[in-house]
Amino acid sequence: MKKSLLNLLGPGLLFAGAAIGVSHLVQSTRAGADFGFGLLWALLLVHIIKYPFFQFGPRYATATGETLLDGYKKLGKGVLISYFILNIATMFTIQAAVTIVTASLASNIFGISLDLVAWSVLIMFISIVLLGIGKYKFLDNLMKYIIAILTISTIIAVNIALFKTDKGFSFQQIIPSGTAQVTFLIAFLGWMPAPLDISIWHSLWSVEKDKTTFVKIKPKQAIFDFNVGYIGALFLGVCFVMLGALVMHQSGESFSSKGTIFASQLINLYTKNLGEFSSVFIGIAAFTTMFSTTITTLDASPRAMEKSSFLLFPRTTRTIKLGYWFWLLLLTLGTSVILYCFLSDMVFLVRIATVLSFLTAPFYAILNYILITGKHTPKKYRPNIGLRILSLIGIVFLFGFSIWFLLSL
């Protein structure tokens, strides 16, 4: 039986769900508020530069039936050990940055007087329960509805903002200067549209979809699915920059580093244009978007660590079972500790997570390129010359911007 288009979509929308979160709701709106339309060049460029390395995740998974982590081990055990260490070093901060934004929105929308750490723990607990009940299939189905809701509400808000604005705006592009502006740019690029290690998550989801649907997805179908999610993430990124530019740029208002205040400002971006009647709908749309990011990251990191542990440590040598639930509970505990320590400054926490992601991006870019163009990928599924050239340009770009950032400190 021929599968419908909607049924073919899955890991690509999970990618979009993981990507469309802090990078869009926080970083893109802040870029628009601070620089107007001046950083659209960075938004478009980073999507082009990162495209091959994200695409190599589903390409490799569907071509070989393996995850990128299996491929990393084939490149050498040291490569997989490096990933294992890097992921442990970054996954708690990434999860904390995502969860605190979700908690801030929940506190603003529901008005329940819990502190943000308590809200964060509650949200992670609910996510764990849902993951335990629904597993991958739940995520796959949930994301199709959340992305649709967010896209529709965002398009409406942007169009009304364009019609209602009575101030002129410039499309002159800006090259940031000074430590503060360059740090923001690197943080913006770090999670736009997402950290590069999400390519690993995508390969894990692709293999999992084959298991749950009992249908072997072909590489062309997987790349189409990925392109839908990727283009959607780009489109919404532009929309959030426009909202920040149209509503907040040169308004004298700036985003707060306090989570609950920021959440209120963010929802006002919509309600100023759609009217107060829409605050509940928009608040729920924003919250569900961030909740989807929270639950996908909470699912993906333990999946990646479970797979890495399985490849690195034979069961006979383990003192404990380093399975999915072990890593999920450890991630929840570690995230809670970080949130308790850095609760007072949400912006600082987000900046640390995004900068770390950008500085580790060259590592993943090089590994994905070597793996997809080498002997471990069947020749007919390797990228064409154009994609290879773009990949090499991307690697130079990621290294160059990382060096520029480090020298600007």
Side-chain angles (χ1 to χ4, degrees):
M1 182 183 294
K2 186 176 180 180
K3 303 288 286 182
S4 69
L5 175 62
L6 190 61
N7 287 334
L8 287 176
L9 298 178
L13 293 184
L14 288 179
F15 168 87
I20 301 169
V22 172
S23 60
H24 291 64
L25 292 172
V26 179
Q27 298 295 80
S28 292
T29 48
R30 186 178 291 275
D34 293 349
F35 297 92
F37 294 93
L39 290 185
L40 281 177
W41 69 268
L43 176 72
L44 298 173
L45 180 61
V46 78
H47 275 80
I48 295 171
I49 290 299
K50 286 185 176 181
Y51 173 81
F53 310 116
F54 283 123
Q55 193 226 70
F56 294 161
R59 180 189 285 265
Y60 181 80
T62 51
T64 64
E66 296 179 341
T67 70
L68 284 176
L69 295 175
D70 293 289
Y72 289 177
K73 186 178 181 181
K74 291 179 178 179
L75 295 178
K77 194 172 182 178
V79 171
L80 189 57
I81 291 173
S82 298
Y83 166 76
F84 188 86
I85 295 171
L86 267 180
N87 202 37
I88 287 180
T90 59
M91 68 179 188
F92 299 105
T93 308
I94 290 173
Q95 188 66 48
V98 168
T99 307
I100 194 64
V101 176
T102 310
S104 300
L105 287 167
S107 177
N108 180 271
I109 293 166
F110 300 114
I112 300 174
S113 57
L114 291 175
D115 64 47
L116 291 186
V117 173
W119 262 116
S120 298
V121 172
L122 177 61
I123 288 167
M124 287 189 288
F125 174 76
I126 294 171
S127 300
I128 290 171
V129 172
L130 292 175
L131 288 171
I133 296 171
K135 298 184 172 61
Y136 172 83
K137 190 174 182 180
F138 166 80
L139 285 177
D140 192 12
N141 293 326
L142 176 68
M143 210 54 56
K144 295 167 186 176
Y145 297 103
I146 289 178
I147 297 299
I149 292 171
L150 179 69
T151 301
I152 292 169
S153 60
T154 304
I155 290 173
I156 293 172
V158 170
N159 276 281
I160 294 178
L162 284 168
F163 281 112
K164 287 186 66 175
T165 186
D166 56 359
K167 60 183 179 181
F169 47 85
S170 171
F171 284 96
Q172 181 179 354
Q173 299 303 287
I174 298 170
I175 304 295
S177 59
T179 300
Q181 288 192 357
V182 171
T183 300
F184 174 80
L185 176 63
I186 295 300
F188 181 56
L189 298 177
W191 272 15
M192 183 53 68
L196 265 189
D197 50 327
I198 288 186
S199 61
I200 297 169
W201 301 359
H202 200 156
S203 71
L204 288 161
W205 288 323
S206 295
V207 171
E208 188 66 23
K209 186 173 181 67
D210 283 350
K211 293 178 181 178
T212 57
T213 60
F214 304 104
V215 176
K216 175 65 177 174
I217 304 298
K218 297 178 181 178
K220 285 186 177 180
Q221 294 172 331
I223 291 173
F224 172 79
D225 170 52
F226 165 73
N227 287 340
V228 170
Y230 201 78
I231 293 171
L234 170 60
F235 173 74
L236 288 175
V238 172
C239 286
F240 279 108
V241 169
M242 292 177 67
L243 276 175
L246 292 170
V247 178
M248 291 192 71
H249 186 54
Q250 296 180 337
S251 66
E253 183 179 2
S254 60
F255 280 121
S256 172
S257 64
K258 304 297 182 183
T260 51
I261 299 174
F262 175 87
S264 178
Q265 291 175 316
L266 182 64
I267 293 173
N268 283 338
L269 279 176
Y270 287 98
T271 56
K272 280 182 181 179
N273 296 287
L274 295 176
E276 289 300 322
F277 73 92
S278 65
S279 61
V280 173
F281 172 75
I282 295 303
I284 291 173
F287 170 73
T288 53
T289 300
M290 282 309 307
F291 181 71
S292 71
T293 305
T294 301
I295 197 170
T296 49
T297 54
L298 202 61
D299 171 75
S301 288
R303 280 186 191 276
M305 294 307 293
E306 178 188 29
K307 184 67 176 180
S308 301
S309 301
F310 177 80
L311 294 171
L312 286 173
F313 312 116
R315 291 185 184 276
T316 54
T317 64
R318 299 181 201 168
T319 56
I320 55 175
K321 184 179 179 181
L322 302 177
Y324 175 82
W325 286 101
F326 168 83
W327 290 110
L328 180 58
L329 295 175
L330 181 64
L331 177 60
T332 302
L333 178 61
T335 299
S336 301
V337 171
I338 289 176
L339 288 174
Y340 180 79
C341 295
F342 292 97
L343 178 64
S344 61
D345 195 338
M346 184 191 74
V347 172
F348 175 74
L349 186 61
V350 170
R351 185 178 296 127
I352 290 294
T354 51
V355 168
L356 281 174
S357 292
F358 189 85
L359 294 178
T360 57
F363 171 78
Y364 296 111
I366 291 173
L367 290 183
N368 288 3
Y369 178 76
I370 292 173
L371 188 58
I372 204 69
T373 58
K375 63 182 181 180
H376 302 298
T377 302
K379 193 170 184 179
K380 66 178 180 177
Y381 297 124
R382 296 174 193 172
N384 58 33
I385 186 65
L387 205 53
R388 291 183 184 219
I389 292 173
L390 180 59
S391 299
L392 295 174
I393 293 172
I395 290 170
V396 172
F397 170 87
L398 293 172
F399 265 116
F401 265 70
S402 296
I403 293 170
W404 178 43
F405 166 67
L406 293 173
L407 292 177
S408 70
L409 294 177

